[in-house]
């Protein structure tokens, strides 16, 4: 049997789910098409499955239940954020993955064979409970009730595995809106001493008392914590490269609150596709600050490739309406303070970290809970 997409979606709306994000699969086609076409629903297309998990996690921080959808062949891309973001920070998301290559099921392409065998086991291995996606209307309510009960009690994700033809066909009616690019003149970097990471972060803190700040994993989060631990700051752990997607979800859920993402060159390069999602969605309240020291500082100073990549030009090409090169902490500070649209702030910093950086004494769950409380106070 099959269900209509509307049957499932209507039930999720009753339970407070407000954002859908993911990467398409032919099994998901009617489902995603319906969500995109329905004007009362919101869908953010992600460049890869891990970014979708991070977008949903950010929206959850902003108070919006979210659903992540993807093909099981991309399940591996989600393991990092699911295990080191959702499970560590206790972020519940409903995860729907398809079962391409189902053992004993319909014939499928050879690349799906192994993943079809291990998809249920991956959920088990990550300690994420799951159930089969309902293929009968009367099962929709009970399955979603089970998922929400787990998410509310344990604050961790719940999975649904969708078999072929679980949802009846829905032809996509919508068309993507073409968004013009802002011309960006590529100017050379000034030949001047580069500021340190801490100098730039201190300047950031001067103008972010009323902003939610998401700091990428590694020395950036630890240095921000060392300068001044604040309830409006989130220090990412693991989930490298997911800070900007996390910020996108949060900015979408909290449009009246400025969100500042502090990214690193190694992390940004790892998930460069996130730039395209950000540049298309263009949340006016998000400032993406890239601290680029051209090395993986926290792992021994190995070089990244950012010395030969113009990441500011990449952001402009991906649709960021405002892109700035900043050479001093003061320029970074002013760029954040004056931002009124999606802005990319690229600053070259000196590699290295003076002295030993403390690790946060607050746990990830404490960090996210106090930030959630801080956001609620200003809602």
């Amino acid at each position: 049997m099959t269900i209509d997409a509307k049957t499932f979606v209507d039930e999720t709306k009753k339970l407070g789910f407000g954002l859908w994000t993911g990467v398409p699969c032919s099994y998901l086609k009617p489902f995603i098409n319906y969500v995109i076409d329905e004007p009362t629903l919101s869908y953010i297309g992600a460049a890869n499955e891990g970014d979708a998990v991070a977008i949903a996690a950010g929206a959850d921080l902003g108070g919006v239940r979210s659903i992540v959808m993807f093909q099981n062949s991309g399940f591996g891309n989600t393991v990092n954020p699911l295990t080191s973001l959702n499970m560590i920070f206790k972020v519940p998301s409903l995860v729907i993955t398809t079962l391409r290559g189902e053992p004993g099921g319909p014939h499928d392409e050879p690349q799906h064979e192994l993943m079809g065998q291990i998809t249920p086991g991956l959920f088990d291995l990550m300690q994420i409970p799951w159930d089969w996606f309902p293929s009968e209307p009367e099962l929709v309510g009970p399955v979603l009730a089970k998922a929400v009960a787990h998410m509310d009690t344990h604050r961790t994700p719940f999975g649904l595995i969708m078999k072929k033809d679980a949802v009846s066909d829905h032809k996509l009616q919508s068309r993507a809106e073409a968004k013009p690019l802002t011309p960006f003149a590529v100017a050379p970097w000034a030949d001047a001493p580069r500021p340190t990471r801490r100098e730039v972060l201190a300047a950031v803190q001067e103008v972010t008392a009323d902003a939610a700040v998401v700091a990428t994993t590694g020395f950036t989060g630890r240095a921000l914590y060392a300068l001044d631990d604040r309830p409006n700051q989130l220090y990412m752990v693991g989930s490298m490269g997911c800070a900007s997607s996390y910020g996108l979800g949060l900015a979408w859920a909290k449009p009246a609150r400025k969100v500042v993402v502090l990214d690193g060159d190694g992390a940004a390069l790892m998930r460069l596709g996130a730039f395209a999602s950000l540049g298309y969605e263009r949340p006016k309240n998000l400032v993406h600050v890239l601290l680029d020291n051209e090395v993986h500082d926290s792992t021994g100073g190995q070089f990244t490739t950012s010395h030969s990549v113009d990441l500011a030009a990449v952001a402009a090409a991906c649709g960021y309406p405002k892109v700035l090169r900043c050479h001093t902490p003061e320029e970074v500070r002013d760029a954040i303070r004056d931002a009124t649209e999606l802005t990319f702030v690229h600053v070259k910093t000196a590699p290295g970290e003076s002295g030993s950086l403390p690790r946060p004494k607050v746990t990830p769950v404490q960090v996210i809970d106090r930030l959630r409380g801080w956001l609620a106070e200003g809602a």
Side-chain angles (χ1 to χ4, degrees), residues 29-363:
K29 177 174 62 176
F31 205 18
I32 293 181
N33 288 353
Y34 178 83
V35 172
I36 292 174
D37 281 343
E38 175 53 51
T40 64
L41 301 174
S42 294
Y43 176 79
I44 296 179
N48 66 63
E49 297 81 3
D51 289 345
V53 171
I55 291 168
D60 182 83
L61 174 60
V64 180
R65 286 191 195 272
S66 302
I67 296 174
V68 183
M69 302 177 285
F70 53 84
Q71 182 181 121
N72 60 337
S73 63
F75 204 162
N77 287 329
T78 72
V79 172
N80 185 0
L82 282 174
T83 57
S84 62
L85 175 58
N86 289 73
M87 298 298 283
I88 300 304
F89 282 96
K90 298 298 183 185
V91 181
S93 296
L94 184 60
V95 178
I96 302 174
T97 187
T98 59
L99 190 60
R100 300 294 301 269
E102 177 187 356
H107 174 74
D108 212 331
E109 299 300 321
Q111 68 268 23
H112 301 302
E113 182 179 353
L114 178 58
M115 185 56 77
Q117 297 171 22
I118 67 175
T119 293
L122 278 176
F123 277 118
D124 294 337
L125 191 62
M126 291 188 288
Q127 301 176 20
I128 296 175
W130 62 275
D131 204 339
W132 297 107
F133 186 91
S135 59
E136 300 178 23
E138 60 270 21
L139 297 179
V140 173
V143 166
L144 284 174
K146 177 182 177 181
V148 169
H150 168 83
M151 292 163 65
D152 287 349
T153 301
H154 300 282
R155 293 177 54 184
T156 55
F158 190 94
L160 293 177
I161 301 177
M162 178 190 286
K163 295 185 178 183
K164 188 176 183 179
D165 298 328
V167 184
S168 56
D169 191 43
H170 178 93
K171 187 175 181 179
L172 183 65
Q173 304 296 320
S174 306
R175 292 293 177 266
E177 173 192 356
K179 296 185 178 180
L181 301 181
T182 302
F184 176 64
V186 180
W189 286 100
D191 185 14
R194 295 182 180 182
T196 67
R197 177 190 296 106
R198 293 200 195 195
E199 288 172 338
V200 173
L201 294 179
V204 168
Q205 287 188 324
E206 290 181 27
V207 289
T208 54
D210 295 324
V213 180
V214 178
T216 189
T217 189
F219 281 173
T220 299
R222 290 169 61 186
L224 190 70
Y225 169 83
L227 283 167
D228 188 13
D229 179 33
R230 299 177 177 180
N232 63 317
Q233 296 175 170
L234 185 138
Y235 317 114
M236 297 284 279
V237 295
S239 53
M240 187 171 170
C242 289
S244 60
S245 294
Y246 188 87
L248 170 58
L250 176 57
W252 176 88
K254 287 288 188 182
R257 174 74 72 177
K258 181 174 283 189
V259 176
V260 177
V261 174
L262 302 175
D263 214 346
D265 49 297
L269 288 165
M270 183 174 287
R271 292 188 178 272
L272 204 55
F275 281 44
S277 297
L278 279 156
Y280 182 78
E281 294 297 329
R282 301 186 185 183
K284 295 180 181 296
N285 56 325
L286 192 146
V287 184
H288 188 179
V289 181
L290 181 66
L291 287 77
D292 181 1
N293 63 5
E294 302 178 358
V295 299
H296 292 288
D297 235 355
S298 64
T299 58
Q302 303 88 356
F303 290 111
T304 69
T305 58
S306 70
H307 54 79
S308 60
V309 178
D310 192 331
L311 291 169
V314 170
C318 285
Y320 284 67
K322 190 169 186 179
V323 177
L324 300 171
R325 295 199 199 279
C326 294
H327 298 85
T328 67
E330 291 75 24
E331 289 179 357
V332 175
R333 176 197 64 200
D334 294 347
I336 295 172
R337 181 194 61 206
D338 299 338
T340 57
E341 59 186 338
L342 174 64
T343 301
F344 186 80
V345 178
H346 191 191
V347 55
K348 292 282 188 177
T349 58
E353 181 61 47
S354 59
S356 59
L357 277 177
R359 296 185 182 276
K361 295 185 183 301
V362 285
T363 68

